[in-house]
Amino acid sequence: MVTAVVLIQAERALLEETAEALAALKGVSEVYTVSGEWDIVAMVRCKSNEAVADVVAGKMLQIPGINRTKTLVAFRSFTELDLDAIFPVA
Amino acid sequence: MVTAVVLIQAERALLEETAEALAALKGVSEVYTVSGEWDIVAMVRCKSNEAVADVVAGKMLQIPGINRTKTLVAFRSFTELDLDAIFPVA
Amino acid sequence: MVTAVVLIQAERALLEETAEALAALKGVSEVYTVSGEWDIVAMVRCKSNEAVADVVAGKMLQIPGINRTKTLVAFRSFTELDLDAIFPVA
Amino acid sequence: MVTAVVLIQAERALLEETAEALAALKGVSEVYTVSGEWDIVAMVRCKSNEAVADVVAGKMLQIPGINRTKTLVAFRSFTELDLDAIFPVA
Amino acid sequence: MVTAVVLIQAERALLEETAEALAALKGVSEVYTVSGEWDIVAMVRCKSNEAVADVVAGKMLQIPGINRTKTLVAFRSFTELDLDAIFPVA
Amino acid sequence: MVTAVVLIQAERALLEETAEALAALKGVSEVYTVSGEWDIVAMVRCKSNEAVADVVAGKMLQIPGINRTKTLVAFRSFTELDLDAIFPVA
Amino acid sequence: MVTAVVLIQAERALLEETAEALAALKGVSEVYTVSGEWDIVAMVRCKSNEAVADVVAGKMLQIPGINRTKTLVAFRSFTELDLDAIFPVA
Amino acid sequence: MVTAVVLIQAERALLEETAEALAALKGVSEVYTVSGEWDIVAMVRCKSNEAVADVVAGKMLQIPGINRTKTLVAFRSFTELDLDAIFPVA
Amino acid sequence: MVTAVVLIQAERALLEETAEALAALKGVSEVYTVSGEWDIVAMVRCKSNEAVADVVAGKMLQIPGINRTKTLVAFRSFTELDLDAIFPVA
Amino acid sequence: MVTAVVLIQAERALLEETAEALAALKGVSEVYTVSGEWDIVAMVRCKSNEAVADVVAGKMLQIPGINRTKTLVAFRSFTELDLDAIFPVA
């Protein structure tokens, strides 16, 4: 499984709607509105880099209110949790 | 539960050890080494902002190899998952 | 009580009106027009991170003239004053 | 009364001590450890710009652990509170 | 007397007119068009921070061609000149 | 006469001494300690660009505590004052 | 042969079309959509700096969706591959 | 003679026309289209800072396609060439 | 195959040695010294994100002279070439 | 002929010596000390990109006092002068 942390700057007036729409996307496991320079953090978990791109550069395009994104692709995950069980990828 | 996304710039030579040490901290649920401007993303989940600070500005201090951190405190989470069940906070 | 320091870049021509409108918001205790890179600093004091978000990403949206905001969520406060008495949060 | 908002980057290992030492300074009314690019916000309230400088460029120098500061001098304050009564300046 | 150094980015096509209009403002003693990242430097000399704000965030608003300003409020002046005599403030 | 506005980042612990030493330099008419990203602004007034360089890259070198400078060379001055009379250049 | 690495920020909604159009240009050997601050990396291989400019500042202009480019001109290449054979330049 | 190095960001679609128009200006000796963050470098050589300003903030205004300029005014030149002979200034 | 474009800032005095050592690494297909803000671009081609991390955060650590790296992980490649044939990955 | 404009940040105390040493290098036609963010601009004129690299990443290494360089490689030159005659390249 490939995990990506997507940092998002969003239209202030659409913040909550944007976060909700992101959370409803297949491939997006959790979405957080956050303090600071970025407005939203979306956790994307897919089978491959190509599938991450399909979410970030594909499906996310149908969601209005996103001004800028920066995608951090995970090289490796470190956790005591069984991420594959918690976040099953179709 | 308060979630915080901690972006970390780490000493290159200690990257994997740093990530492992972070993942072993109480209050840290997952750690990812990532591509780009930041080296590591740590997900912190605690009961309050003060508890997040105890992790970020307290426990993390015992870990060598961390050069810079930027903490994004979550205002709200959007997910179909039951985060409180997945990430129980003592 | 959660305190947040909101740094704001505002439309120059609306600066004073924007500051006044911000100061009238419930949850905002003080507003300062300031020198330098930022135009306005608003002190937000609420019961929780969610309530801070309701002010910063919610109520502030009805105020015109705000171009960019950066919210610094306080982890802990250090003061000899009794902030809870001075700034009662409903 | 002149108010100044001082944004501070501090040595991670000394964060809490630095915040406490700042809060004990005459002329500093409140100190907050915060999330994001800055580590500490100190509210300075004095009689004049010169007095603010005596705090920021003078007294603060005896405090170890401060790496960088950015001082936002307030032009005007907007609040329903009586700041002069709450924060009496000698 | 409070001195403020105002760094200004201006519309290229209006540079000289903008500089002339700034120099004609009460509270502005000298204006320089300069090389580099900023286009104009205006020296503002007033009785108080509030009066500086009236110039920078008030009167300057009637002048077209100003895109961005950064105001450096002086804490203290060091000179062998008698600035109060040279730049009398009403 | 060539005017240059020199923005200076200085060692915090030496700020006032640095400002005083700068003000005593031939060719420097006024020095201000200021709020924000820069610590000191020095006004340099000389006969030519070469003479400005002799001050900025020459004499200033004997002054400890200066970390970084940015020199804005003035193209033209706009003022009702007689700058040549106020700031005679040998 | 002169190689240039062109970093490109592109219109999110046109990302894949832009990448495909770039890859079809004569002088462009490979195009990658990438994570992070830049959206696309294009490898340009030509006979001279002038020919690189014809691609970057010329042919690329017919492609919609490109917001910003930064061209890194290679001084020298280090590889065990025979780049001239792999990427023949007309 | 005063030399200034003008760094220019230009409209991509007009790059070559802009460079040609710049090169035809009196006071501009050479123009280069370049790789990287800036698009064009123009060498300006005039009798005084005021004359440089007349070129940079005056004549250049008639040329379309220039988005941003940064002018580096030379303090001194170091060369074995006789610049005054090569670049005679009227 | 996962491709990554690694932007590298290197010690000036070791530039060529660093580039040569990078090119000799398994998983690195080509290395370019380049003009501008970055000094070296290395093309990394591996079987997975983890394998890319083994190169970037692992093997590259034995190479002296590397100050900073930014890794752009490719989502997709667009080319008429058969990259898998040209750059076989063990 | 390939022209490169090299922007240089230099040790303040060695500025003039550095400029003189640069000007004496084969391949460097002119050097200017300049105002602003950069300290020195060196004009490099060579037969190829490789030769430019030999100057910028090679010969310049023997010169002390250079902290940072940014090289802008020219794609094309626009001038009424005969640059090849003025700046003969061996």
Side-chain angles (χ1 to χ4, degrees), chain B residues 26-69:
Chain B
K26 193 152 174 290
V28 176
S29 62
E30 317 127 69
V31 174
Y32 304 95
T33 51
V34 295
S35 66
E37 179 188 350
W38 299 96
D39 302 308
I40 296 176
V41 176
M43 303 300 288
V44 177
R45 303 176 198 268
C46 296
K47 264 197 266 193
S48 66
N49 289 351
E50 281 84 359
V52 169
D54 286 340
V55 173
V56 176
K59 289 179 197 168
M60 282 194 187
L61 296 179
Q62 279 102 44
I63 300 177
I66 296 179
N67 291 336
R68 202 162 77 92
T69 65

Short mmCIF file of all heavy atoms in Angstrom, two decimals, chain B residues 26-69:
data_model
loop_
_atom_site.label_atom_id
_atom_site.label_comp_id
_atom_site.label_asym_id
_atom_site.label_seq_id
_atom_site.Cartn_x
_atom_site.Cartn_y
_atom_site.Cartn_z
N LYS B 26 4.48 7.15 23.04
CA LYS B 26 3.07 7.16 23.41
C LYS B 26 2.45 8.44 22.87
O LYS B 26 3.00 9.52 23.04
CB LYS B 26 2.93 7.11 24.94
CG LYS B 26 1.55 6.81 25.42
CD LYS B 26 1.55 6.10 26.78
CE LYS B 26 0.13 5.96 27.30
NZ LYS B 26 -0.45 7.27 27.70
N GLY B 27 1.32 8.33 22.20
CA GLY B 27 0.67 9.50 21.64
C GLY B 27 0.92 9.64 20.15
O GLY B 27 0.26 10.40 19.47
N VAL B 28 1.91 8.89 19.64
CA VAL B 28 2.20 8.90 18.20
C VAL B 28 1.62 7.62 17.60
O VAL B 28 2.04 6.51 17.97
CB VAL B 28 3.70 8.98 17.93
CG1 VAL B 28 3.98 8.89 16.43
CG2 VAL B 28 4.28 10.26 18.50
N SER B 29 0.67 7.74 16.66
CA SER B 29 0.03 6.53 16.14
C SER B 29 0.74 5.99 14.89
O SER B 29 0.88 4.79 14.72
CB SER B 29 -1.44 6.80 15.82
OG SER B 29 -1.56 7.78 14.83
N GLU B 30 1.17 6.88 13.99
CA GLU B 30 1.84 6.41 12.78
C GLU B 30 2.94 7.41 12.41
O GLU B 30 2.81 8.61 12.68
CB GLU B 30 0.89 6.35 11.58
CG GLU B 30 -0.47 5.79 11.82
CD GLU B 30 -1.53 6.76 11.32
OE1 GLU B 30 -1.63 6.93 10.10
OE2 GLU B 30 -2.25 7.36 12.16
N VAL B 31 3.96 6.91 11.75
CA VAL B 31 5.06 7.75 11.27
C VAL B 31 5.35 7.34 9.84
O VAL B 31 5.38 6.15 9.52
CB VAL B 31 6.31 7.56 12.15
CG1 VAL B 31 7.50 8.32 11.57
CG2 VAL B 31 6.04 8.02 13.58
N TYR B 32 5.57 8.34 8.96
CA TYR B 32 5.88 8.05 7.56
C TYR B 32 7.14 8.81 7.15
O TYR B 32 7.26 10.01 7.44
CB TYR B 32 4.73 8.49 6.64
CG TYR B 32 3.41 7.87 6.99
CD1 TYR B 32 2.50 8.54 7.80
CD2 TYR B 32 3.07 6.60 6.54
CE1 TYR B 32 1.28 7.96 8.14
CE2 TYR B 32 1.85 6.02 6.87
CZ TYR B 32 0.97 6.71 7.68
OH TYR B 32 -0.23 6.13 8.02
N THR B 33 8.09 8.13 6.51
CA THR B 33 9.15 8.86 5.82
C THR B 33 8.58 9.25 4.46
O THR B 33 7.91 8.44 3.81
CB THR B 33 10.42 8.01 5.64
OG1 THR B 33 10.05 6.75 5.06
CG2 THR B 33 11.08 7.75 6.98
N VAL B 34 8.82 10.51 4.06
CA VAL B 34 8.15 11.01 2.85
C VAL B 34 9.11 11.74 1.92
O VAL B 34 10.18 12.19 2.32
CB VAL B 34 7.01 11.99 3.23
CG1 VAL B 34 5.91 11.28 4.00
CG2 VAL B 34 7.53 13.17 4.01
N SER B 35 8.69 11.87 0.68
CA SER B 35 9.44 12.61 -0.34
C SER B 35 9.21 14.10 -0.18
O SER B 35 8.21 14.51 0.37
CB SER B 35 8.97 12.18 -1.72
OG SER B 35 7.62 12.60 -1.91
N GLY B 36 10.14 14.90 -0.69
CA GLY B 36 9.94 16.35 -0.78
C GLY B 36 10.67 17.14 0.28
O GLY B 36 11.72 16.74 0.77
N GLU B 37 10.09 18.29 0.61
CA GLU B 37 10.73 19.27 1.49
C GLU B 37 10.82 18.75 2.93
O GLU B 37 11.71 19.13 3.68
CB GLU B 37 9.89 20.54 1.43
CG GLU B 37 10.36 21.68 2.27
CD GLU B 37 9.32 22.79 2.25
OE1 GLU B 37 8.37 22.72 1.43
OE2 GLU B 37 9.45 23.71 3.06
N TRP B 38 9.87 17.93 3.34
CA TRP B 38 9.87 17.35 4.68
C TRP B 38 10.33 15.90 4.60
O TRP B 38 10.13 15.24 3.59
CB TRP B 38 8.48 17.44 5.31
CG TRP B 38 8.01 18.85 5.45
CD1 TRP B 38 7.21 19.55 4.60
CD2 TRP B 38 8.36 19.77 6.50
NE1 TRP B 38 7.04 20.83 5.05
CE2 TRP B 38 7.73 21.00 6.21
CE3 TRP B 38 9.15 19.67 7.66
CZ2 TRP B 38 7.87 22.12 7.04
CZ3 TRP B 38 9.27 20.79 8.47
CH2 TRP B 38 8.65 21.99 8.17
N ASP B 39 10.92 15.39 5.69
CA ASP B 39 11.46 14.03 5.66
C ASP B 39 10.53 13.02 6.31
O ASP B 39 10.49 11.86 5.92
CB ASP B 39 12.81 14.01 6.38
CG ASP B 39 13.80 14.97 5.77
OD1 ASP B 39 13.98 14.90 4.54
OD2 ASP B 39 14.36 15.80 6.50
N ILE B 40 9.83 13.47 7.36
CA ILE B 40 8.99 12.56 8.14
C ILE B 40 7.67 13.24 8.46
O ILE B 40 7.63 14.45 8.72
CB ILE B 40 9.70 12.20 9.47
CG1 ILE B 40 11.00 11.42 9.21
CG2 ILE B 40 8.79 11.41 10.41
CD1 ILE B 40 11.80 11.12 10.47
N VAL B 41 6.58 12.48 8.44
CA VAL B 41 5.29 12.96 8.95
C VAL B 41 4.89 12.04 10.11
O VAL B 41 4.85 10.83 9.95
CB VAL B 41 4.19 12.93 7.87
CG1 VAL B 41 2.84 13.34 8.47
CG2 VAL B 41 4.55 13.86 6.72
N ALA B 42 4.62 12.65 11.28
CA ALA B 42 4.16 11.87 12.43
C ALA B 42 2.74 12.27 12.77
O ALA B 42 2.42 13.46 12.85
CB ALA B 42 5.08 12.10 13.63
N MET B 43 1.87 11.28 12.96
CA MET B 43 0.50 11.54 13.37
C MET B 43 0.42 11.42 14.89
O MET B 43 0.73 10.36 15.45
CB MET B 43 -0.46 10.54 12.72
CG MET B 43 -0.40 10.49 11.20
SD MET B 43 -0.83 12.06 10.40
CE MET B 43 -2.60 12.10 10.73
N VAL B 44 0.05 12.51 15.55
CA VAL B 44 -0.05 12.54 17.01
C VAL B 44 -1.53 12.62 17.38
O VAL B 44 -2.27 13.42 16.82
CB VAL B 44 0.72 13.74 17.59
CG1 VAL B 44 0.56 13.82 19.10
CG2 VAL B 44 2.20 13.65 17.22
N ARG B 45 -1.95 11.78 18.31
CA ARG B 45 -3.36 11.76 18.73
C ARG B 45 -3.39 11.73 20.25
O ARG B 45 -2.92 10.78 20.87
CB ARG B 45 -4.07 10.54 18.14
CG ARG B 45 -3.97 10.51 16.59
CD ARG B 45 -4.57 9.27 15.98
NE ARG B 45 -4.10 9.03 14.61
CZ ARG B 45 -4.73 9.48 13.51
NH1 ARG B 45 -5.81 10.17 13.61
NH2 ARG B 45 -4.23 9.22 12.30
N CYS B 46 -3.93 12.81 20.85
CA CYS B 46 -3.92 12.96 22.30
C CYS B 46 -5.27 13.50 22.77
O CYS B 46 -6.16 13.78 21.98
CB CYS B 46 -2.84 13.94 22.73
SG CYS B 46 -1.17 13.41 22.37
N LYS B 47 -5.36 13.67 24.11
CA LYS B 47 -6.62 14.14 24.69
C LYS B 47 -6.81 15.65 24.58
O LYS B 47 -7.93 16.14 24.58
CB LYS B 47 -6.67 13.72 26.16
CG LYS B 47 -7.44 12.42 26.35
CD LYS B 47 -7.86 12.21 27.76
CE LYS B 47 -6.83 11.37 28.47
NZ LYS B 47 -7.24 10.84 29.77
N SER B 48 -5.71 16.41 24.53
CA SER B 48 -5.84 17.88 24.56
C SER B 48 -4.64 18.51 23.87
O SER B 48 -3.64 17.84 23.59
CB SER B 48 -5.88 18.37 26.01
OG SER B 48 -4.62 18.11 26.62
N ASN B 49 -4.74 19.84 23.62
CA ASN B 49 -3.60 20.56 23.05
C ASN B 49 -2.39 20.46 23.97
O ASN B 49 -1.25 20.32 23.50
CB ASN B 49 -3.95 22.04 22.85
CG ASN B 49 -4.94 22.25 21.71
OD1 ASN B 49 -5.23 21.33 20.95
ND2 ASN B 49 -5.44 23.46 21.59
N GLU B 50 -2.62 20.53 25.27
CA GLU B 50 -1.49 20.44 26.22
C GLU B 50 -0.80 19.08 26.07
O GLU B 50 0.43 19.00 26.09
CB GLU B 50 -1.99 20.58 27.67
CG GLU B 50 -2.26 22.00 28.10
CD GLU B 50 -3.66 22.45 27.68
OE1 GLU B 50 -4.39 21.64 27.03
OE2 GLU B 50 -4.04 23.58 27.99
N ALA B 51 -1.59 18.02 25.90
CA ALA B 51 -1.00 16.70 25.75
C ALA B 51 -0.22 16.58 24.43
O ALA B 51 0.82 15.93 24.37
CB ALA B 51 -2.09 15.63 25.82
N VAL B 52 -0.73 17.21 23.39
CA VAL B 52 0.02 17.24 22.14
C VAL B 52 1.37 17.93 22.37
O VAL B 52 2.41 17.45 21.92
CB VAL B 52 -0.78 17.98 21.03
CG1 VAL B 52 0.12 18.24 19.82
CG2 VAL B 52 -2.00 17.18 20.62
N ALA B 53 1.34 19.05 23.08
CA ALA B 53 2.58 19.77 23.37
C ALA B 53 3.54 18.91 24.16
O ALA B 53 4.76 18.96 23.96
CB ALA B 53 2.28 21.07 24.13
N ASP B 54 3.00 18.10 25.08
CA ASP B 54 3.89 17.22 25.86
C ASP B 54 4.62 16.23 24.95
O ASP B 54 5.76 15.86 25.20
CB ASP B 54 3.08 16.45 26.92
CG ASP B 54 2.69 17.37 28.07
OD1 ASP B 54 3.33 18.42 28.24
OD2 ASP B 54 1.73 17.05 28.79
N VAL B 55 3.95 15.81 23.88
CA VAL B 55 4.60 14.92 22.92
C VAL B 55 5.58 15.70 22.04
O VAL B 55 6.77 15.38 21.96
CB VAL B 55 3.56 14.19 22.03
CG1 VAL B 55 4.27 13.40 20.94
CG2 VAL B 55 2.69 13.29 22.89
N VAL B 56 5.09 16.75 21.41
CA VAL B 56 5.88 17.47 20.40
C VAL B 56 7.05 18.23 21.03
O VAL B 56 8.17 18.19 20.52
CB VAL B 56 4.98 18.43 19.61
CG1 VAL B 56 5.81 19.25 18.63
CG2 VAL B 56 3.90 17.66 18.87
N ALA B 57 6.79 18.95 22.10
CA ALA B 57 7.86 19.76 22.69
C ALA B 57 8.48 19.07 23.90
O ALA B 57 9.41 19.58 24.49
CB ALA B 57 7.30 21.13 23.11
N GLY B 58 7.97 17.91 24.25
CA GLY B 58 8.51 17.20 25.40
C GLY B 58 9.20 15.91 24.99
O GLY B 58 10.39 15.87 24.77
N LYS B 59 8.40 14.85 24.83
CA LYS B 59 8.98 13.53 24.57
C LYS B 59 9.87 13.51 23.32
O LYS B 59 10.87 12.81 23.27
CB LYS B 59 7.87 12.50 24.39
CG LYS B 59 7.13 12.16 25.68
CD LYS B 59 6.04 11.15 25.38
CE LYS B 59 5.02 11.07 26.50
NZ LYS B 59 3.82 10.31 26.10
N MET B 60 9.47 14.25 22.29
CA MET B 60 10.26 14.22 21.05
C MET B 60 11.67 14.73 21.28
O MET B 60 12.55 14.50 20.45
CB MET B 60 9.56 15.05 19.97
CG MET B 60 8.40 14.34 19.30
SD MET B 60 7.89 15.18 17.78
CE MET B 60 6.39 14.23 17.39
N LEU B 61 11.88 15.46 22.38
CA LEU B 61 13.20 16.04 22.63
C LEU B 61 14.25 14.99 22.94
O LEU B 61 15.44 15.22 22.77
CB LEU B 61 13.13 17.04 23.77
CG LEU B 61 12.27 18.27 23.48
CD1 LEU B 61 12.26 19.18 24.68
CD2 LEU B 61 12.82 18.99 22.27
N GLN B 62 13.80 13.84 23.42
CA GLN B 62 14.78 12.78 23.71
C GLN B 62 15.25 12.08 22.44
O GLN B 62 16.14 11.24 22.48
CB GLN B 62 14.19 11.73 24.66
CG GLN B 62 14.23 12.16 26.14
CD GLN B 62 12.89 12.65 26.61
OE1 GLN B 62 11.88 12.02 26.30
NE2 GLN B 62 12.84 13.76 27.32
N ILE B 63 14.63 12.39 21.32
CA ILE B 63 14.98 11.70 20.07
C ILE B 63 16.00 12.52 19.29
O ILE B 63 15.71 13.65 18.91
CB ILE B 63 13.72 11.46 19.21
CG1 ILE B 63 12.73 10.60 19.99
CG2 ILE B 63 14.08 10.82 17.88
CD1 ILE B 63 11.43 10.36 19.28
N PRO B 64 17.18 11.96 19.03
CA PRO B 64 18.18 12.70 18.26
C PRO B 64 17.82 12.70 16.77
O PRO B 64 17.06 11.86 16.31
CB PRO B 64 19.46 11.94 18.52
CG PRO B 64 19.02 10.54 18.82
CD PRO B 64 17.66 10.63 19.43
N GLY B 65 18.34 13.66 16.03
CA GLY B 65 18.21 13.66 14.59
C GLY B 65 17.07 14.50 14.05
O GLY B 65 16.84 14.54 12.84
N ILE B 66 16.33 15.18 14.94
CA ILE B 66 15.23 16.04 14.49
C ILE B 66 15.74 17.48 14.41
O ILE B 66 16.14 18.06 15.40
CB ILE B 66 14.03 15.96 15.45
CG1 ILE B 66 13.46 14.54 15.43
CG2 ILE B 66 12.97 16.98 15.07
CD1 ILE B 66 12.28 14.35 16.35
N ASN B 67 15.72 18.06 13.18
CA ASN B 67 16.23 19.42 13.00
C ASN B 67 15.15 20.47 13.13
O ASN B 67 15.36 21.53 13.68
CB ASN B 67 16.89 19.55 11.63
CG ASN B 67 18.18 18.76 11.55
OD1 ASN B 67 18.80 18.49 12.57
ND2 ASN B 67 18.56 18.37 10.35
N ARG B 68 13.96 20.20 12.59
CA ARG B 68 12.92 21.22 12.55
C ARG B 68 11.58 20.52 12.52
O ARG B 68 11.45 19.47 11.88
CB ARG B 68 13.06 22.09 11.30
CG ARG B 68 12.40 23.44 11.40
CD ARG B 68 12.93 24.38 10.34
NE ARG B 68 12.37 24.09 9.04
CZ ARG B 68 11.25 24.70 8.57
NH1 ARG B 68 10.63 25.61 9.26
NH2 ARG B 68 10.80 24.39 7.37
N THR B 69 10.58 21.06 13.21
CA THR B 69 9.25 20.48 13.14
C THR B 69 8.23 21.57 12.90
O THR B 69 8.44 22.72 13.28
CB THR B 69 8.87 19.78 14.47
OG1 THR B 69 8.78 20.77 15.51
CG2 THR B 69 9.88 18.73 14.87
#
